[in-house]
Structures are given as C-alpha cells and as structure tokens.
Amino acid sequence: MYARLMIEYIYNLAEMETKDIYGFFVGWRNPPNNETFLKILKNSYRVVCAVEGDKLIGFTNAISDAVLSAYIPLLEFLPEYQGGGIGKRLVKLMLESLSDLYVIDLLCDQSLLTFYEKLGMKPSTGVLIRNYDNQNGVLNS
C-alpha cells in the first residue's frame, strides 16, 4: 500500500492531457480503448474528474441539450478507490453543475438504485437498448 496524495476534482479537460487514464471499465464485456475514452470525455457536455497527482482515479460525464435536459451515462472509478466516497462526490458535483436544467436522467442497474437515491435521485421507469457489440465505442464499418 502506498501513501495517498490529495484527491482533486477538476472540470477542465485540458488538464486531463497529462494524466494517466488507465484501468477503467473493469468488467465491461467490450470496453473502449483509451483513444475512444478521451473522445467520450471531450464530446461530453460536462465532465467531473477525480485526480490524484498525475492519475485519473474517477470520472462522471453528462450529455445535454444545454437547455432542458441532461443524461449522465457514466460513473467510473478505479477499483482500489471503491468505498472511499469518490463516486458520491463525483455525482454530487455533477448534479450541482446541472442544477439549472429541468431534468437529469441516469439509467443504472437495479443494485445501484440505493446509491443514487441517497444522492437525491428518484427511481423511475425507463427503457433502453444495450448493444454490447458496440460498447467499445468504435464504429463498425
């Protein structure tokens, strides 16, 4: 075990260019590569990142019309940081940054509902399609 540095939360993606971004999407069937991961972050409406020194340790992103609604598709952090409150902090910061919008949607697995409810979100009914062949974000030609 190593001594932990101070965790910082940043919104500026320009600062991400110098960070180590490896180790995310654990357990995904078909995870995005790092180039695609950076595209996801750069093409997002908002991003909140948790960094420790030169390492990205967690992030969440939102896509939005910038008028009425936003959707939070991802909350990821490195497994060794699980249980340290980083996920909660990332979601709280993202919800604060989107607070001027009417609706903020997020789809999650049933097992995660309690986590999001504790952060003020309410369960809802939704529908979705998940095409795991396209989960890596690389367009098939």
Side-chain angles (χ1 to χ4, degrees):
M1 179 110 183
Y2 62 93
R4 293 239 162 121
L5 303 172
M6 187 166 87
I7 296 172
E8 297 179 76
Y9 295 88
I10 61 172
Y11 300 82
N12 184 346
L13 286 180
E15 295 178 42
M16 288 304 303
E17 293 176 11
T18 62
K19 304 295 181 197
D20 173 1
I21 62 166
Y22 299 99
F24 292 96
F25 308 107
V26 174
W28 283 42
R29 294 181 196 174
N30 190 13
N33 62 32
N34 283 342
E35 180 182 344
T36 302
F37 175 31
L38 287 173
K39 283 182 188 177
I40 290 167
L41 295 179
K42 289 178 180 177
N43 290 332
S44 296
Y45 174 67
R46 298 263 166 81
V47 175
V48 183
C49 299
V51 297
E52 184 179 55
D54 290 337
K55 186 174 191 161
L56 176 66
I57 60 172
F59 72 93
T60 187
N61 70 316
I63 54 178
S64 176
D65 58 18
V67 177
L68 194 63
S69 61
Y71 173 66
I72 300 174
L74 297 171
L75 170 63
E76 291 278 329
F77 48 93
L78 299 177
E80 61 266 31
Y81 289 86
Q82 206 165 15
I86 295 166
K88 288 178 187 175
R89 184 76 177 138
L90 286 167
V91 173
K92 283 182 182 181
L93 291 171
M94 180 59 78
L95 292 175
E96 287 172 11
S97 78
L98 300 171
S99 65
D100 59 332
L101 298 175
Y102 166 66
V103 63
I104 302 167
D105 288 336
L106 181 150
L107 287 173
C108 66
D109 294 334
Q110 185 75 29
S111 62
L112 295 172
L113 281 177
T114 302
F115 172 81
Y116 290 106
E117 286 178 293
K118 289 179 181 176
L119 296 169
M121 301 186 88
K122 297 185 180 354
S124 180
T125 303
V127 295
L128 61 91
I129 295 173
R130 289 193 177 154
N131 183 343
Y132 289 104
D133 290 340
N134 296 337
Q135 189 177 37
N136 64 9
V138 177
L139 297 176
N140 298 320
S141 300

